[in-house]
Every structure is written in C-alpha cells, then in structure tokens.
Amino acid sequence: MRPGRWIFVALLAAVAVLAPPATPASLAQGLTSTRVGVNPYVGVLIFDDGDLQEIGREANLGPMLGARLNGAFRPDWQFDVGYGYAQVETEESEFVDSDPEDQVELDMHSLYGAIDYFIGGSQEIPTRLLLSAGLGFLIINPEEGDGDASFMIPLAVGFTHPVNDWITFRGEARDHLQFCSGPDEDEGTAACVDDEMLNHIEVSGGLEFWLWPRNR
C-alpha cells in the first residue's frame, strides 16, 4: 500500500494549482497577525501495514474525521491543536485464503500540537503553501483486547485558499510517524510485530472558520 500514498499527494498538489482566485476581501485573512479559528475536516487514512504484511495481514483505507483549534500569532505562523479519529480494518492478505471472521477493526485516535508555516499568498495568487510539524500521541484500539498508545510526530504539507474574509479551505497530506513498539509476548495489540517507525498517511480537507477577530 505504500506506493499508493503518493498518488494522493499528487492529487492534492493538483488541486492547489487549480484552485480558483479569491475575492480581494478574503486577502484580509493573510494580513491579520493574531486570530483564532476552528477547522473540522474529513479524509482518508492509509494505515501503514508495517511488518504485519510479513504475517499475511493487510489494512484497508479508513475514513477519518477530525478537528483543529487554530491560533495564528503572525501572518506566516500558526499553532494547531488537533484531534483525529479513523477506523481501519485489517484482514488476511489477498494472497491468503481468508474468511470474514478474520477481519479485525482498529480505532485510531491522534492527538497532537503542531506549528504551521505558510509560504506565498498575494492578490493575484491567494493560495498559500502549508508546512507543518509537531508532536503528539497515537492510540490504536482493536475491537478486542488491549490497545496501544505511542508517541508520534505529525508532518504535513498542504495548502490553504481563502473563501471569504473569515473562511479558508485547507487541504493537506499528513504523515503520522509512529514510534511503534512490538507487543509483549501473548499480551496487548500493536500495529507492528517488532519495534519500528510507521508512516500512517492522512489525506484530508475542510473549512477553517475564523472566530476572532471576526470584524476587520
């Protein structure tokens, strides 16, 4: 599944290039140094199978829902606190005879803080490139048995495009780098068999609603 994730990144970049121009009023967003907003979003999660493939299992794409609280403290810098929820299903590999009872659902919760940096943005081309990095936790709970919590580093690339002076569209591809530790013998559940770094890719989009200051 790993090669397929770059297709989503390429599509995201294409959307950024083709985004329609904004009205001049919407450019006020980029000129305000301090503002607070919320960003609900939807997307898909490409769950990193890791070495689970070596034992004949694979994970399907999972839907993802989430929200961020955004605080812009300079025109080009922003701080996010985010939460995301995704449900993925693992099953026997297509190369292995399987039965529906072998499917296992995993609930994934991501909680993180991140710093965003914006590049570009003008009256002619109001779309801005977004780079983001942070630190957080990833919690994976199977439908049966104990879950697993681990540190992760969220890294993202994306874009923002103003809709009007208080709404922005935001799209991104985010890599949740999980520091995965293999489960203890006959205890717990983990996303890996041995200790390794996993790359769970989230491709998402949503609207940022700037709540303060509302009137400029």
Side-chain angles (χ1 to χ4, degrees):
M1 296 181 68
R2 297 189 182 191
R5 67 182 56 160
W6 302 114
I7 297 176
F8 291 95
V9 177
L11 290 175
L12 192 63
V15 172
V17 173
L18 298 175
T23 61
S26 66
L27 298 176
Q29 297 185 106
L31 302 177
T32 303
S33 59
T34 304
R35 54 185 178 155
V36 177
V38 293
N39 173 212
Y41 64 88
V42 297
V44 295
L45 179 75
I46 307 173
F47 190 86
D48 191 341
D49 298 313
D51 48 13
L52 294 180
Q53 294 186 14
E54 298 178 8
I55 60 174
R57 297 198 68 84
E58 60 183 20
N60 299 320
L61 287 176
M64 188 160 199
L65 299 173
R68 304 181 186 91
L69 177 64
N70 306 327
F73 50 91
R74 294 187 61 184
D76 296 331
W77 294 92
Q78 181 173 297
F79 179 74
D80 296 339
V81 176
Y83 168 78
Y85 168 77
Q87 187 176 78
V88 298
E89 193 175 73
T90 66
E91 59 186 5
E92 296 291 338
S93 171
E94 59 183 309
F95 302 107
V96 177
D97 291 334
S98 61
D99 133 350
E101 295 183 357
D102 291 329
Q103 297 177 345
V104 177
E105 290 185 351
L106 301 176
D107 291 332
M108 190 178 104
H109 306 266
S110 62
L111 181 63
Y112 60 88
I115 294 291
D116 306 331
Y117 177 65
F118 296 91
I119 301 172
S122 65
Q123 184 169 353
E124 294 76 19
I125 307 177
T127 302
R128 310 182 78 190
L129 176 66
L130 162 69
L131 302 176
S132 178
L135 185 65
F137 291 94
L138 199 64
I139 302 171
I140 299 177
N141 292 322
E143 53 186 331
E144 294 182 5
D146 297 331
D148 173 68
S150 52
F151 285 105
M152 64 107 172
I153 297 177
L155 301 176
V157 59
F159 72 96
T160 62
H161 186 82
V163 177
N164 57 37
D165 60 354
W166 66 280
I167 300 177
T168 306
F169 177 79
R170 172 171 171 165
E172 64 175 52
R174 183 174 295 272
D175 188 351
H176 299 272
L177 285 86
Q178 178 191 4
F179 297 90
C180 183
S181 299
D184 296 332
E185 185 176 355
D186 299 326
E187 293 183 8
T189 300
C192 56
V193 175
D194 299 312
D195 295 353
E196 64 173 319
M197 178 77 76
L198 299 181
N199 300 83
H200 306 296
I201 304 297
E202 164 197 330
V203 180
S204 62
L207 296 177
E208 293 177 306
F209 298 92
W210 298 106
L211 306 179
W212 182 88
R214 181 67 178 273
N215 298 316
R216 295 176 173 84

